């Protein structure tokens, strides 16, 4: 248990975004560097130690949406601006508001989660891994969700 606690501390104390040579990277795993994620590693070790499925902090979800989704949506034709904020009614959700030319402002509540989380709600769900590694499919899902729900 001490080894697991030390590994969790090392991953949580690191200041890198996903992984670096201090927390996870080394020569032996050089072909997997793009797949390494210290947040997932700490979550997985906590799951092994405690048996509890970890949840992604909403603040980290907002940060990911601001850094990755927002610039990509703003470069989409017709989208004038994107606003991302914590949902006032449910602090596990993040509101993404789009200002769309000719259509006004549209809102979509989103749940950003880790692959380990099970979410049986009707909310629009984005896994943090997909957000970082497959933004084109996220943009397509986002557009389809807005169209299907009648919000576009």
């Amino acid at each position: 248990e001490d080894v697991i606690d030390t590994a969790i501390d090392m991953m949580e104390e690191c200041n890198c975004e996903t992984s670096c040579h201090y927390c996870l990277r080394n020569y032996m795993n050089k072909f997997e560097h793009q797949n390494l994620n210290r947040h997932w590693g700490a979550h997985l070790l906590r799951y092994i130690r405690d048996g509890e499925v970890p949840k992604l902090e909403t603040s980290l979800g907002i940060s990911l949406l601001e850094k990755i989704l927002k610039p990509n949506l703003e470069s989409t034709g017709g989208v004038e601006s994107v606003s991302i904020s914590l949902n006032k009614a449910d602090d596990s959700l993040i509101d993404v508001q789009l200002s769309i030319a000719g259509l006004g402002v549209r809102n979509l509540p989103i749940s950003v989660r880790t692959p380990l989380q099970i979410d049986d709600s009707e909310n629009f769900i984005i896994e943090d891994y997909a957000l970082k590694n497959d933004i084109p499919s996220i943009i397509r899902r986002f557009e389809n969700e807005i169209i299907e729900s009648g919000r576009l």
Side-chain angles (χ1 to χ4, degrees):
E1 200 166 304
D2 288 340
V3 172
I4 290 175
D5 290 338
T6 301
I8 290 171
D9 289 344
M10 188 168 66
M11 286 184 264
E12 288 181 339
E13 290 171 5
C14 191
N15 291 324
C16 68
E17 187 169 328
T18 56
S19 67
C20 68
H21 287 88
Y22 172 74
C23 62
L24 289 176
R25 295 181 182 190
N26 62 44
Y27 180 77
M28 298 297 290
N29 63 22
K30 67 181 176 182
F31 296 112
E32 298 300 324
H33 285 182
Q34 74 278 3
N35 297 322
L36 298 177
N37 185 306
R38 68 183 179 87
H39 303 286
W40 297 339
H43 287 313
L44 181 61
L45 289 175
R46 253 195 228 90
Y47 177 70
I48 291 168
R49 185 188 67 197
D50 305 332
E52 294 179 18
V53 175
K55 295 186 178 185
L56 188 73
E57 294 292 325
T58 306
S59 60
L60 182 57
I62 289 173
S63 175
L64 290 171
L65 292 172
E66 286 279 350
K67 290 179 185 175
I68 300 169
L69 183 66
K70 183 177 179 176
N72 283 282
L73 284 173
E74 288 177 334
S75 68
T76 303
V79 176
E80 295 174 339
S81 67
V82 178
S83 173
I84 297 171
S85 61
L86 188 62
N87 183 293
K88 289 180 175 71
D90 182 347
D91 65 2
S92 69
L93 294 176
I94 300 165
D95 287 331
V96 176
Q97 290 186 332
L98 298 172
S99 177
I100 303 167
L103 295 174
V105 176
R106 301 294 186 253
N107 185 56
L108 181 63
I110 293 178
S111 176
V112 180
R113 65 180 182 93
T114 67
L116 293 174
Q117 282 178 258
I118 297 172
D119 191 341
D120 57 357
S121 69
E122 297 295 320
N123 298 318
F124 187 78
I125 298 167
I126 299 176
E127 288 186 0
D128 62 337
Y129 180 83
L131 189 57
K132 292 178 182 178
N133 296 295
D134 192 11
I135 194 66
S137 73
I138 296 295
I139 296 294
R140 281 192 302 276
R141 282 186 52 223
F142 200 91
E143 291 169 344
N144 290 339
E145 176 70 19
I146 292 172
I147 291 168
E148 288 173 12
S149 66
R151 290 179 256 201
L152 183 66

